[in-house]
């Protein structure tokens, strides 16, 4: 078999930066994605990033595009997802086409060693003697790719958490999941008709839920009959806690706006703390009947829409045949999870989703018992929501450093 030097799973921001660095290093590289390049970024394209463009563009990607004379956004620009995709990610993918094999519409269903079983040669460097085998579903058929090294940059956006007690599905949630919205809806734009003059149940207490609450609040004030119940599980006086010395002013503004809506909701709207979803039943096309537990008491209610902004988690089925040491709490790789826990000690009850300082993680956090397999980007944070793109770009550079790959000479380069 002929193995590629590097297989990258996921053609989002982190996967593209890894492909850019691989192209600069002369590595035989394949970049695969179940959808189109950066399509998850496009899926939340109307949302504006808290962080400036200089944090959301990779250093090697920028180097390649500047070398081609591509006009780029200003360093401090706060772009929408659509703007980031159109002005940076898609041009970068186009620039890499000649040096990287890009396969869109190719879903990786399993990654394993070509011959070693999961339980063989435990923690042994000898496992690297066999390449990885990636099983792909592509154009209605199964294909395979072999690679000496694999970067899993597939993210977590496609794997929302469930909204029931303890993170498991509520009764009836699995049956209704196709009509429950688990991402941030464009309630003031493309999805306006779904929520205008309707009653919505919003679940969650993070920045995604806050974004939805602000949009629903504006819609409720503009369109008669628009109502919502915002339910969050924490027992505190406001849905969001402010982050001390938050370096992102737009996040500070969102926190204040969302907490103000919770404190003084529009007419017919409410915010509920100490609440959780117990059961949901879809009533044909007319909405849902829902059981909510609120401060220990159950309330049955009726809603037209449900939005569950309850976070995301990694899909670890991809590498279940590999020796990956995962954190039992976050589901992320243990090295990254332990470093995040140390960096986010959350003293005095401060929220733990603050920005991670540059250089906090370091290359030593990326290794796991399976040699040559790296989980990078948002997926490496597991259920932790603190991920920033610039952290993922640092991880890519650290992984290349660990592998001894650089621009001048790459092991196995053509």
């Amino acid at each position: 078999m002929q193995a590629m030097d590097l297989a990258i799973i996921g053609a989002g921001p982190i996967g593209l930066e890894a492909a850019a660095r691989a192209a600069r290093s002369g590595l035989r590289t394949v970049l695969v994605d179940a959808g189109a390049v950066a399509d998850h970024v496009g899926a939340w394209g109307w949302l504006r990033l808290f962080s400036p463009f200089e944090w959301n563009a990779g250093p090697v990607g920028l180097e390649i595009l500047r070398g081609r004379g591509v006009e780029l956004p200003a360093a401090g620009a706060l772009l929408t997802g659509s703007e980031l995709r159109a002005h940076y990610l898609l041009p970068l993918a186009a620039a890499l086409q000649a040096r990287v094999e890009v396969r869109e519409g190719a879903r990786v269903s399993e990654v394993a060693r070509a011959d070693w079983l999961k339980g063989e040669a435990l923690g042994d460097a000898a496992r690297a003697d066999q390449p990885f085998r990636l099983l792909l579903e592509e154009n209605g058929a199964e294909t395979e790719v072999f690679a000496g090294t694999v970067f899993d940059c597939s993210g977590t956006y496609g794997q929302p958490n469930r909204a029931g007690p303890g993170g498991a599905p509520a009764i009836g949630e699995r049956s209704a999941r196709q009509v429950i919205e688990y991402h941030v809806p464009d309630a003031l734009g493309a999805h306006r008709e779904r929520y205008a003059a309707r009653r919505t149940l919003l679940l969650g207490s993070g920045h995604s839920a806050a974004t939805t609450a602000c949009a629903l609040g504006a819609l409720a004030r503009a369109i008669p009959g628009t109502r919502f119940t915002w339910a969050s599980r924490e027992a505190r006086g406001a849905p969001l806690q402010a982050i001390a010395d938050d370096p992102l002013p737009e996040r500070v503004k969102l926190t204040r706006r969302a907490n103000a809506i919770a404190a003084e909701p529009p007419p017919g709207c409410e915010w509920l703390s100490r609440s959780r979803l117990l059961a949901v039943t879809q009533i044909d096309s007319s909405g849902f009947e829902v059981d909510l537990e609120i401060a220990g008491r159950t309330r049955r209610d009726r809603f037209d829409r449900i939005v569950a902004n309850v976070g995301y988690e990694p899909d670890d089925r991809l590498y279940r045949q590999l020796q990956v040491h995962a954190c039992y709490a976050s589901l992320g790789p243990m090295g990254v999870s332990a470093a995040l826990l140390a960096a986010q000690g959350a003293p005095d009850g401060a929220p733990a989703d603050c920005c991670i300082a540059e250089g906090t993680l370091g290359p030593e956090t990326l290794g796991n018992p399976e040699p040559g397999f790296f989980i990078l980007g948002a997926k490496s944070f597991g259920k932790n929501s603190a991920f920033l793109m610039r952290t993922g770009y640092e991880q890519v550079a650290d992984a290349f450093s660990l592998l001894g790959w650089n621009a001048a000479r790459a092991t196995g380069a053509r």
Side-chain angles (χ1 to χ4, degrees), residues 59-342:
V60 179
L62 285 174
E63 176 185 297
I64 288 174
L65 292 181
R66 285 170 178 156
R68 293 169 65 94
V70 174
E71 184 177 351
L72 294 166
L78 298 176
L79 305 181
T80 64
S82 292
E83 290 168 343
L84 180 67
R85 186 172 188 258
H87 300 302
Y88 176 68
L89 298 173
L90 292 183
L92 178 56
L96 295 174
Q97 287 281 355
R99 292 182 284 175
V100 172
E101 182 183 343
V102 179
R103 294 169 69 166
E104 297 178 285
R107 179 180 298 277
V108 179
S109 57
E110 296 269 356
V111 183
R113 287 291 179 182
D115 197 26
W116 290 111
L117 300 178
K118 182 181 179 76
E120 295 179 333
L122 296 176
D124 194 332
R127 287 180 65 87
D129 295 341
Q130 287 286 336
F132 293 100
R133 175 180 176 264
L134 287 74
L135 182 63
L136 276 62
E137 300 169 6
E138 189 175 16
N139 297 322
E142 288 190 330
T143 58
E144 59 186 8
V145 167
F146 295 90
T149 300
V150 173
F151 289 176
D152 184 354
C153 307
S154 57
T156 59
Y157 187 81
Q159 188 83 2
N161 291 326
R162 295 311 176 203
I171 293 173
E173 182 181 354
R174 285 182 293 184
S175 299
R177 67 179 182 270
Q178 296 302 322
V179 287
I180 296 174
E181 176 58 76
Y182 289 95
H183 300 99
V184 178
D186 187 6
L188 295 176
H191 305 151
R192 183 185 182 93
E193 296 305 314
R194 298 182 193 174
Y195 301 96
R198 303 283 200 281
R199 188 172 185 224
T200 299
L201 172 63
L202 169 62
L203 303 163
S205 55
H207 292 101
S208 293
T211 299
T212 300
C214 289
L216 292 176
L219 198 61
R221 292 186 172 96
I223 307 294
T226 303
R227 297 174 295 154
F228 66 89
T229 292
W230 183 6
S232 54
R233 61 185 297 273
E234 291 80 6
R236 57 193 186 208
L240 272 70
Q241 287 183 279
I243 297 172
D245 303 318
D246 193 333
L248 302 176
E250 294 302 313
R251 185 164 60 183
V252 174
K253 294 178 185 177
L254 174 64
T255 298
R256 290 173 178 166
R257 287 197 304 268
N259 285 342
I261 285 175
E264 296 185 27
C269 304
E270 61 183 340
W271 170 64
L272 305 173
S273 65
R274 296 179 60 195
S275 57
R276 57 181 185 161
L277 178 68
L278 298 180
V280 55
T281 302
Q282 186 180 3
I283 307 171
D284 52 60
S285 60
S286 61
F288 305 89
E289 188 173 78
V290 166
D291 286 348
L292 285 174
E293 183 186 276
I294 307 163
R297 296 185 177 183
T298 301
R299 183 176 98 182
R300 180 160 292 178
D301 218 331
R302 181 81 174 263
F303 295 94
D304 301 302
R305 299 283 186 267
I306 297 177
V307 178
N309 292 154
V310 292
Y312 306 91
E313 66 181 20
D315 183 357
D316 56 6
R317 294 171 298 179
L318 197 68
Y319 43 80
R320 62 184 174 180
Q321 300 304 328
L322 298 178
Q323 295 176 5
V324 173
H325 188 195
C327 173
Y328 57 81
S330 73
L331 300 181
M334 184 56 77
V336 173
S337 297
L340 287 174
L341 183 62

Side-chain angles (χ1 to χ4, degrees), residues 23-76:
R24 192 183 68 170
S25 300
L27 297 168
R28 294 187 300 270
T29 303
V30 58
L31 174 64
V32 299
D33 196 286
V37 168
D39 61 352
H40 281 171
V41 177
W44 50 264
W46 68 92
L47 293 174
R48 193 166 299 278
L49 291 154
F50 293 139
S51 48
F53 175 65
E54 62 185 342
W55 287 22
N56 297 312
V60 179
L62 285 174
E63 176 185 297
I64 288 174
L65 292 181
R66 285 170 178 156
R68 293 169 65 94
V70 174
E71 184 177 351
L72 294 166

